[in-house]
């Protein structure tokens, strides 16, 4: 295995032409410098310096042959260190963000726009997925920042903070007007066509779990993978959608959909920001996190 420190000593002695001056430059003792040169010579099996009254001169068949290669190699290492230092203080490279389409649209979009305007050299990669898929991307180091439905319990994930509260509710168009304007028993909705996300999603599981705790079984007539499509179906009177109020704010304000209030109301959920465990964050990732923290600290 290459001992980089020995080559650093060799390079310093070659430049200085003196063991003493090299020792001063490297902040080590002269015997330590001499010992390092002898060790490198033994390792390579040849003489690297000629010791003269003027000091240390590179040997014709040893030191002079490898000096330019060692010099180039050390400069490459120096460039690597400089580049790493630059990355720690400059927003460059790639930031991989994992989130569902809905979270990206209704929460992340303004942050992505603001970040891109501030740091145009950073390549933002949005990876769509459910909370479980997002967690797997973070655990396999294929994602830098993830947005997941809370709670999560995984020792390989670092949960930073809650960034968005979600209030699941039921919405529909005028076809179901008899349910609007008053609070209805949640059990009553068992008799109506419901639109809900697929059972594999954390959102659906949370709703089903709560309903079961109340002795209520909500069986959807149509299951979907997209909240956007669910919203469109509800607007067209196909059924009653179970969806976070925050994601249909525009439709509720415009009157395209109306809320059906229930007793009991569905419990509040939350979206959390998660990171890979024990991962060193680049400056670019830290800046994105800081931007979110400013509004959600």
């Amino acid at each position: 295995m290459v001992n980089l420190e020995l080559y650093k000593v060799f390079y310093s002695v070659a430049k200085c032409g003196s063991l003493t001056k090299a020792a001063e430059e490297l902040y080590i003792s002269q015997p330590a410098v001499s010992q390092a040169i002898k060790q490198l010579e033994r390792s390579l099996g040849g003489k690297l310096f000629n010791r003269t009254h003027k000091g240390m001169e590179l040997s014709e068949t040893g030191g002079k042959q490898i000096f330019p290669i060692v010099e180039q190699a050390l400069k490459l290492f120096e460039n690597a260190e400089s580049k790493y230092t630059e990355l720690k203080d400059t927003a460059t490279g790639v930031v991989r963000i994992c989130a569902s389409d809905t979270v990206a649209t209704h929460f992340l979009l303004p942050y992505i726009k603001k970040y891109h305007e501030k740091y145009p050299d950073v390549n933002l990669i949005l990876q769509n997925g459910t909370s479980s898929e997002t967690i797997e991307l973070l655990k396999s180091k294929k994602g830098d920042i993830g947005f997941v439905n809370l709670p999560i319990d995984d020792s390989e994930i670092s949960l930073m903070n809650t960034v968005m509260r979600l209030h699941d509710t039921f919405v529909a168009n005028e076809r179901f007007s008899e349910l609007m304007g008053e609070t209805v028993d949640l059990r009553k909705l068992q008799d109506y066509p419901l639109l809900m996300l697929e059972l594999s999603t954390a959102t659906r599981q949370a709703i089903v779990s709560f309903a079961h705790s109340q002795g209520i079984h909500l069986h959807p007539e149509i299951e979907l993978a997209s909240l956007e499509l669910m919203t469109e179906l509800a607007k067209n009177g196909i059924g009653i959608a179970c969806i976070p109020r925050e994601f249909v704010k525009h439709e509720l304000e415009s009157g395209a959909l109306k809320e059906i209030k229930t007793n009991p109301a569905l419990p509040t959920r939350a979206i959390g920001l998660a990171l890979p465990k024990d991962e060193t964050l680049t400056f670019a990732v830290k800046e994105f996190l800081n931007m979110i923290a400013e509004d959600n600290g």
Side-chain angles (χ1 to χ4, degrees), residues 271-287:
I271 299 294
L273 190 158
L275 303 172
K277 190 79 169 181
D278 302 324
E279 189 76 0
T280 301
L281 303 179
T282 65
F283 182 80
V285 170
K286 289 179 182 177
E287 284 298 283

Side-chain angles (χ1 to χ4, degrees), residues 74-129:
L74 291 177
K75 284 182 178 179
L76 287 174
F77 279 111
E78 185 179 331
N79 290 340
E81 290 180 350
S82 297
K83 183 64 176 177
Y84 187 76
T85 300
E86 178 185 329
L87 287 174
K88 290 193 296 183
D89 300 315
T90 308
T92 58
V94 176
V95 175
R96 300 165 300 176
I97 303 169
C98 311
S100 68
D101 281 341
T102 306
V103 171
T105 301
H106 294 277
F107 174 75
L108 283 176
L109 189 58
Y111 293 105
I112 291 171
K113 181 176 183 296
K114 182 178 178 182
Y115 188 88
H116 181 65
E117 289 173 351
K118 187 174 182 181
Y119 301 113
D121 293 332
V122 177
N123 183 18
L124 289 175
I125 298 178
L126 296 179
Q127 301 180 104
N128 171 260

Side-chain angles (χ1 to χ4, degrees), residues 17-36:
S18 164
L19 295 175
T20 301
K21 291 179 180 179
E24 292 174 353
E25 183 178 89
L26 297 169
Y27 298 100
I28 59 177
S29 68
Q30 182 176 323
V33 172
S34 181
Q35 211 38 50

Side-chain angles (χ1 to χ4, degrees), residues 12 34 57 70 91 94-95 104 116 125 128 132-133 137 141 150 157 168 183 185 189 200-201 209 225 227 272 275 295:
S12 183
S34 181
E57 292 181 353
V70 172
V94 176
V95 175
H116 181 65
I125 298 178
N128 171 260
S132 58
E133 290 170 340
L137 286 170
K141 312 301 183 187
L150 299 180
I157 296 296
D168 290 307
T183 300
D185 191 318
L189 294 187
S200 60
T201 63
S209 177
L227 288 178
L275 303 172
D295 295 334

